[in-house]
Amino acid sequence: MPEIRVTPLGAGQDVGRSCILVSIGGKNVMLDCGMHMGFNDDRRFPDFSYITRNGRLTDFLDCVIISHFHLDHCGALPYFSEMVGYDGPIYMTHPTQAICPILLEDYRKIAVDKKGEANFFTSQMIKDCMKKVVAVHLHQTVQVDDELEIKAYYAGHVLGAAMFQIKVGSESVVYTGDYNMTPDRHLGAAWIDKCRPNLLITESTYATTIRDSKRCRERDFLKKVHEAVERGGKVLIPVFALGRAQELCILLETFWERMNLKAPIYFSTGLTEKANHYYKLFITWTNQKIRKTFVQRNMFEFKHIKAFDRAFADNPGPMVVFATPGMLHAGQSLQIFRKWAGNEKNMVIMPGYCVQGTVGHKILSGQRKLEMEGRQVLEVKMQVEYMSFSAHADAKGIMQLVGQAEPENVLLVHGEAKKMEFLKQKIEQEFRLLPDAKKPRLLHGTLIMKDSNFRLVSSEQALKELGLAEHQLRFTCRVHLHDPRKEQETALRVYSHLKSVLKDHCVQHLPDGSVTVESILIQAAAHSEDPGTKVLLVSWTYQDEELGSYLTSLLKKGLPQGAT
Amino acid sequence: MAAHLKKRVYEEFTKVVQQQQEEIATKKLRLTKPSKSAALHIDLCKATSPADALQYLLQFARKPVEAESVEGVVRILLEHYYKENDPSVRLKIASLLGLLSKTAGFSPDCIMDDAINILQNEKSHQVLAQLLDTLLAIGTKLPENQAIQNRLVDVACKHLTDTSHGVRNKCLQLLGNLGSLEKSVTKDGEGLAVRDVQKIIGDYFSDQDPRVRTAAIKAMLQLHERGLKLHQTIYNQACKLLSDDYEQVRSAAVQLIWVVSQLYPESIVPIPSSNEEIRLVDDAFGKICHMVSDGSWVVRVQAAKLLGSMEQVSSHFLEQTLDKKLMSDLRRKRTAHERAKELYSSGEFSSGRKWGDDAPKEEIDTGAVNLIESGACGAFVHGLEDEMYEVRIAAVEALCMLAQSSPSFAEKCLDFLVDMFNDEIEEVRLQSIHTMRKISNNITLREDQLDTVLAVLEDSSRDIREALHELLCCTNVSTKEGIHLALVELLKNLTKYPTDRDSIWKCLKFLGSRHPTLVLPLVPELLSTHPFFDTAEPDMDDPAYIAVLVLIFNAAKTCPTMPALFSDHTFRHYAYLRDSLSHLVPALRLPGRKLVSSTLSANITPHEDPSHQFLQQSLERVYSLQHLDPQGAQELLELTIRDLQRLGELQSELAGVADFSATYLRCQLLLIKALQEKLWNVAAPLYLKQSDLASAAAKQIMEETYKMEFMYSGVENKQVVIIHHMRLQAKALQLIVTARTTRGVDPLFGMCEKFLQEVDFFQRCFIADLPHLQDSFVDKLLDLMPRLMTSKPVEVVKIVQTMLRQSTFLHLPLPEQIHKASATIIEPAGESDNPLRFTSGLVVALDVDATLEHVQDPQNTVKVQVLYPDGQAQMIHPKPADFRNPGPGRHRLITQVYLSHTAWTEPCQVEVRLLLAYNSNSRLPKSPWVEGGEVSPQVETSVIEGTIPFSKSVKVYIMPKPARR
């Protein structure tokens, strides 16, 4: 029995700070190295002392794998490699490698410059850390060392998100990271082959949810925006810089193109602009439509979407603006919101979840009068809409992935304990009957041992090679049957009975009065003493044992009445 | 020495052969025949290495072999096969044997023994596989010979145990193609060797090699196609294969399951792990639905396609495919569709989205939720959301087919189809609009659905908008608000895209006539009438106002109370529109107006239609043409032609017939004019002037006959004969004219011969129709044919001349349905004053958009012509993909034309027009004229004999600038 030990240092039964330690076949691999958004103390990073109390990280870990660029999956990386100290390889996909440092830098800026934290990692540390990264392609098998190999699969979710298969010898683990089984406007669906790992570690954010068709959501969104723009209103969409922002941009861009609309769309500069650049580059990671049409036109080369300038907010006429941050708690999106809130023609669309206490949460829960700093009261007359665009697999999607990969065991992480319980029960219920990949199979053959060599050959060949004649083993059995009619008629009755019962087998009535079923011979004869009883002689070879015994038991039950 | 001699003999022999081949005369083929095998033999003997031999064989394979020499070649090949040690050469020989046995006219049973023989001694797996392939070719060539087939099947069974997958593959293929269909009982009394092909193939469903498994399933499907009824037991085996590791196996297994479900739809199968039983077709449906979420998109496409044809499935299974059973945190949640429906039924409409509007409702029993094995659950929801558009299109198609057979399902799938109108790929959007149109009889659109549908009217793609107009033509709308909404959106569409005018008017016509009662309450608002005040009279030329009127007038047709709401100017506008847009505005019974014609026309059937009668009468009048003097005949013809032309302009439905007949009469008129007495009795010096006239007439008749033959759809054979006859007369006229004007006899020879060939050609083509041509020109000509063949050209001309002048007028039978091909270029509009500027020597792409009506096979016949001011003409062949077919008899050409020219000093106009290319030979039976099969049929048809312009030309302003150095 292979021993695989899994130790979650974070995101075991919660979300955030994803960090899982896997020991497989004597190798230690760290999967993801994230930070927790909810904490500002030591708890925001995984507790690496679990490893360091026994020695250095580099000695212990064979490699680190980062599944995608979200901070709760890679945020602790510079701290881990530079401050705690790790010099081994860090594997991630090319898009992740490109976008990850931007986000880390942004995170650092907010933590150090805005919140004024000390003892935080520096820009130089981010750079040094990224030097240790080894980028991998999809479906490329990377040999970390002689025994350990890893392979990335497409995961959807965000640009460059990947699932990783970790293999040592015949043992393997698949770690999904975050993934999405339904495609969206810019990314495809997660896909994995039937790799039958010993263990599948999957996220379970939406373990108890089955989501509605994304089309309704998209249609609603577009309709809302379209109506507001037609009315001459301004639409504000607060977003976070990466991920959903691009999806919504694509959605609006294609809609504008299709409907020939003229109202301008803006997005706030900064992070998004830089990120869009990478989206343009990594076309192979996007969905079918974008991949197929980029030769004519790269969909991320937005025609209708332009960079936003602060002065534009006061321009007359309709417009759509994407602004950061997503929860209206600060920054540009809040500024614009304050400008536009007073006009009932305008609209704000919240495309994601809002944390309690933010302006976003307040307006979503129906508050119409907001108290701003300086005792100002802002009356919200504009329309407030909520749209949920999420890129995690739902319960059905998780089951689908489990079905695709056919693992021996499933480990649920990155979700709530209670919800996992439900999914666990479901997985056990549905996949109990999964065919075992390594189940024994029946094989007919002969093992020849000669000159200390083993050879497995067919029995015919073995007989031929050894010059032996085949020994036939034949079973015979007599079945007494009460039937006053003649032997011929009895045989005929047996024939028609068997013919009706054994539909898949070839039943024949031979001219000499005997009946054959495949190679089994049945002959009817009158009983020497009692003419009212017929004796059926059934004879079969060893190879047909199964059918033969079935046949005798069948005949012993007698013939159906009325059958002729 | 002997060998040396032999070699020399062969060498000389080959030399001769090669010379003859250089001459290349198809009739001399016979001479080259014996050489084929011999040459091959020498080549193979000469070959020093396997590579050489392979080269010779490859060369040999490039040339066709005639049926008679196949056997010889086969012998040679077999001989070499036995000698050959190299497997690759043997492989090539085996494949050549297969190719040769396919030769038409060659019976391959003689080589079968040899083939089976060599099969037994063959060691190489690849060669074995190839040999089996050859046997398959032989077997398929001899479908009646049961003995041979049985023997081949035996051979295949023997090799099924081979270790190579290739050999097993071929064996299974052979079994599938040749395995006997009935469970025949073999005669031999040993009770063995009873072959049940199905069982044998079925055993290989669990082969270790996926390729063999696929081949086994394919063989099974092949058996089914050949008419063998598959056993139901296969179903279980096939179900196991659905979870195979390899996509090609799964894909084939899905097909097999589908086949079995169609064979035994009503059988009962148990559900594993429970005591319940369900119908097999339902079970299969569930399994195929499950495959819609397979890992491989090939399988998904296959599964989605097959779902569409499973119409016997129970309705509750069917409806599950659209239900995904949403939940959120283990609580049941309603889908957006359900919410929309509820909102609609509760009468509450404008709902601003609230936080938690979609909040989950009741708790779900955790045990009752099935996440994956729930069979049909949500299959279409997944299929329509798939990443690959191929899958989505397949799912939409399947949805369409199922909805057509089940009205209740149609009602349910509506929401999903409407959602597909917003797909990111245009093809998918278009497909779903078409699908919706097909099922529109079964459905009524709710207002919120209509809203979504109408939103697509703003799409920038013309195809989409037009498809949507077609859809609206046949939709049922439930409320008057719906109609109003549709009208408003269509008017919005009209202002945004004015080119859609005709399509929108047509759409409103149908919308009005389908919903008269819904339009009625809207009339005052639409016409903006007021009970007390007179309102301003709207502008009659406003397309939007016309659109509104079209809707109202068509509704008024079946709603007699409506005209009471009209104001005075509306009646005036009605009269105007009824005249100018008669195809859109129906005849109305208006109060206080005696519209005699309209009441009349409402009561009569098309046959009694006066215009139709008029057409018949005028044509009958022409029959009496013979009895008139030439002057009278000419006048009558001129009159009739004028009448017909006018009729065609007035009655659009008769335009085709009228034009067609008028053209024919015009030909006759030209002919009569050209043959006028006085023309032919003038003295020799005046010939030239007259003959100019006559030859011009001949030329015009030719052109007109080509138009008649190729520009009309629905022309039948009996008309074609008459047309060809007219053309023959024109050719005769040409011959006579040239004979009179040219000096010397030599050129006449060729012309006469050509003309006689034409006559012969005519006879061969229309041999069946000749009895109808009593007394005609050609009838007389054929009577004298033997004499003509032998006489001198001058005499021939004389005879032809007299006969042509005596020939009678043939009556043209009217075809049932005839339409003239026409084309309108929409783009370029030719109104731009800004020249297209481009650098000379480079090209500029010009978008051409045209609608074609009643054009048969436009892909091959329609061409674009560009005429440059310097007289240079350029013909462009549009790609087949540039043609779309939006409706019966209609086509749309959207293409790009590349223009280029040397530098001009100032901008100038080029003309763009459409041509109809024709080739009169394509109509004829091919076999006797295509010689030796050397010209492939495609080449033959693509030859353009001539072209007919059939659209107005459009002028485009262009300006090639000199290139800057």
Side-chain angles (χ1 to χ4, degrees), chain B residues 436-455:
Chain B
M436 188 109 140
R437 196 189 68 223
K438 283 181 201 151
I439 63 170
S440 56
N441 293 331
N442 290 336
I443 53 169
T444 306
L445 282 179
R446 281 202 322 268
E447 222 163 295
D448 56 322
Q449 288 164 338
L450 190 69
D451 202 28
T452 325
V453 171
L454 290 172

Side-chain angles (χ1 to χ4, degrees), chain B residues 610-635:
Chain B
S611 50
H612 207 267
Q613 268 173 12
F614 176 72
L615 177 73
Q616 288 292 348
Q617 278 165 4
S618 19
L619 287 177
E620 270 160 30
R621 218 166 37 203
V622 187
Y623 295 164
S624 56
L625 205 61
Q626 256 102 341
H627 316 299
L628 291 172
D629 61 306
Q631 192 59 40
Q634 275 189 36
E635 275 169 17

Side-chain angles (χ1 to χ4, degrees), chain A residues 196 210 219 258-259 426, chain B residues 245 327 369 419 460 496:
Chain A
R196 303 203 168 94
I210 301 178
R219 197 192 58 208
R258 239 180 74 197
M259 298 300 181
K426 283 293 148 197
Chain B
D245 285 10
M327 62 172 191
V369 186
D419 281 349
S460 58
K496 202 162 174 183

Side-chain angles (χ1 to χ4, degrees), chain A residues 57-119:
Chain A
L57 281 173
T58 319
D59 298 335
F60 180 75
L61 288 173
D62 290 281
C63 73
V64 174
I65 295 171
I66 302 295
S67 65
H68 63 280
F69 61 64
H70 276 159
L71 285 178
D72 61 332
H73 290 259
C74 70
L77 207 52
Y79 168 78
F80 161 78
S81 70
E82 305 308 312
M83 297 173 80
V84 184
Y86 169 75
D87 298 320
I90 302 169
Y91 291 94
M92 54 176 82
T93 61
H94 287 276
T96 312
Q97 186 196 19
I99 298 171
C100 193
I102 307 177
L103 284 178
L104 287 172
E105 183 59 36
D106 189 56
Y107 173 45
R108 189 197 66 81
K109 256 190 217 154
I110 291 172
V112 177
D113 301 350
K114 291 239 168 91
K115 295 182 187 155
E117 280 183 58
N119 197 18

Side-chain angles (χ1 to χ4, degrees), chain B residues 502-522:
Chain B
D502 291 316
S503 176
I504 288 174
W505 286 347
K506 202 182 111 210
C507 171
L508 283 168
K509 175 189 168 189
F510 285 98
L511 212 57
S513 56
R514 285 179 84 98
H515 308 97
T517 47
L518 297 181
V519 175
L520 183 61
L522 291 173

Side-chain angles (χ1 to χ4, degrees), chain B residues 877-891:
Chain B
H877 307 256
K879 293 192 290 282
D882 291 339
F883 293 92
R884 289 133 205 244
N885 191 357
R890 279 193 297 141
H891 287 275

Side-chain angles (χ1 to χ4, degrees), chain A residues 185 191 194 196 208-215 219-220 258-259 288 364 385 419 426 506 508, chain B residues 185 194 245 295 324 327 329 336 353 355 366 369 384-385 389-390 419 422-423 459-460 496:
Chain A
R185 286 280 167 162
W191 180 87
K194 241 177 228 190
R196 303 203 168 94
T208 55
T209 301
I210 301 178
R211 253 182 293 128
D212 197 359
S213 154
K214 58 160 186 169
R215 289 184 190 282
R219 197 192 58 208
D220 274 355
R258 239 180 74 197
M259 298 300 181
Q288 187 194 23
L364 278 180
E385 298 284 347
K419 296 180 179 177
K426 283 293 148 197
C506 167
Q508 276 185 286
Chain B
V185 177
V194 184
D245 285 10
K324 213 174 155 188
M327 62 172 191
D329 288 346
R353 180 159 292 244
W355 167 260
T366 47
V369 186
L384 294 176
E385 262 186 31
Y389 82 93
E390 290 90 342
D419 281 349
N422 283 322
D423 196 89
D459 202 298
S460 58
K496 202 162 174 183

